[in-house]
Structures are given as structure tokens and as C-alpha cells.
Amino acid sequence: MRSRKSSIPLPEQACLPWHPPGLVAGVDEAGRGPLAGPVVAAAVILDDLHPIAGLADSKKLTPARREKLYDEIRAKALCCSIAEASVEEIDRLNILQATMLAMRRAVMGLRLKPVMVLVDGNRLPTLDIQSEAIVKGDALVPAISAASILAKVHRDRWCAQIHEEFPQYGFDGHKGYGTAVHMAALREHGACVHHRRSFAPVAQNLLF
């Protein structure tokens, strides 16, 4: 497998001179830092004939804008795939390896096989496809931006759903991150089944 890593600012995919002709997939993840829930990855192959305006790093967009773009990406992309690595896999493998697993699953879930995979960050999952890691790729490469949005919205929806089951933790607000509100809830209620027990703040509050 041939892989490259780059932190050079690259405004669009066409500026990457070593890309072979063919379909290019962007890959990104959401949920590495939270104390609970799966880590989510998405892979997207955009359609040049149906451009999507306003693609950007999902963290720079409002929730309403992310939701709108989520629907547009799903409608206009040539294909896309969203995958997870579970809490159990995070605790067994560690968060980095679980993230790589989710990314691999997302790429393998694409209906069309790309000739090149561009991954946000500085690490690459194990793939049988030429791939490249691009630091800050979610702000530089449209396909990675699209993947960032899909992963973020998917995970935020998971948090909203789990909030209905465990409202005492406030997942709909902090999205699983270790905020003061979340830490106070952990101290009061202990960890629930969705918490990552390999993370120190959770391990210190295991009541059940």
C-alpha cells in the first residue's frame, strides 16, 4: 500500500499532483474525545457534476447548517458510507485503533471503490487503496469536509437518542465530552453502559 502524509495547505483535490485519475474518497471521524458512545467515521465520494456549496470543517458550522448539508451530501454525493467502532471496541483496542477501524469500515462500505482515499489528520487506517493523510484536511478538501459533516451529525443524533434513555447525564448538551455538567453527573450516577470504561474519568466513577 502506498501512503503519503502531508500538512501542506491544499485548497482543493485537483491541486494534489500525485493523484491517479479516478474516484477520490474523503474520510473523517467524530467522537474521539468524548467519554461515551461510539467513534464514528464517514467516507464520501463527491460528484463533480453536482457541487455542494458551503462545505467546511463540521466544527465551524452551526448545528442547523450541518443538518442541511448532511441531507444535501446524502442526496448529491456519488456515494457515502458511515460506520462506527463501538464502546466495547474502544475499550478493547484503545481509541486510536478503534478510530482507524471505524475509518476502514467506512471506506469498505462505499458502493463504489475509489482509487485514492484522503484522510483527515496524520494517521491512516489499513487499506488496500492508495491513501494520504492530510492535516486539517476537513478545512481544505471538500470530500473530507463532507465526511466530517456526516460523521458529526450521525454522532450528534446518537447523543440525542441516548439522552432519551439516560437523561440524567445530559448527552444532548455536552455530546459526551467531559464538561463540568457531565463530570458532575458521573459523580452522582456513576457510569452507564454507554460510557468508555477505559477512559480515566469514567473508570473513577464506576458504580455499575
Side-chain angles (χ1 to χ4, degrees):
M1 179 190 72
R2 178 185 172 196
S3 300
R4 294 174 181 267
K5 297 182 180 180
S6 172
S7 59
I8 302 172
L10 299 166
E12 56 184 359
Q13 295 169 3
C15 291
L16 300 177
W18 52 81
H19 284 180
L23 299 177
V24 176
V27 177
D28 202 1
E29 55 77 24
R32 283 184 64 173
L35 306 180
V39 60
V40 178
V44 178
I45 299 176
L46 294 175
D47 186 350
D48 292 340
L49 299 179
H50 297 90
I52 301 171
L55 291 176
D57 175 3
S58 64
K59 297 183 290 295
K60 303 295 178 61
L61 301 170
T62 65
R65 183 61 179 151
R66 285 197 298 264
E67 287 282 348
K68 183 176 185 301
L69 284 168
Y70 178 96
D71 292 337
E72 190 172 359
I73 294 163
R74 296 295 298 263
K76 291 184 176 180
L78 284 177
C79 62
C80 53
S81 170
I82 301 173
E84 300 179 353
S86 68
V87 169
E88 292 77 16
E89 288 171 324
I90 292 169
D91 287 341
R92 176 167 53 87
L93 299 172
N94 74 47
I95 185 59
L96 174 60
Q97 294 306 317
T99 300
M100 296 297 105
L101 177 61
M103 287 182 169
R104 174 176 168 78
R105 286 171 174 166
V107 174
M108 295 299 100
L110 289 169
R111 178 176 55 84
L112 303 173
K113 185 171 182 176
V115 299
M116 183 74 178
V117 175
L118 305 179
V119 180
D120 181 60
N122 60 6
R123 299 292 186 97
L124 290 170
T126 301
L127 299 168
D128 62 353
I129 304 168
Q130 184 173 333
S131 55
E132 178 189 357
I134 301 178
V135 175
K136 300 188 185 301
D138 51 2
L140 299 170
V141 180
I144 298 179
S145 299
S148 170
I149 291 164
L150 292 191
K152 173 64 174 168
V153 170
H154 180 90
R155 194 175 192 286
D156 283 356
R157 290 178 178 179
W158 179 91
C159 289
Q161 179 182 345
I162 295 306
H163 177 74
E164 299 297 319
E165 184 181 359
F166 294 97
Q168 65 269 36
Y169 294 101
F171 284 117
D172 61 335
H174 54 64
K175 303 298 189 294
Y177 285 92
T179 64
V181 169
H182 193 181
M183 294 307 299
L186 271 173
R187 287 191 293 271
E188 181 177 356
H189 304 290
C192 77
V193 295
H194 299 295
H195 280 99
R196 301 172 180 178
R197 297 176 178 234
S198 58
F199 281 39
V202 176
Q204 295 164 7
N205 291 280
L206 290 176
L207 299 184
F208 62 91

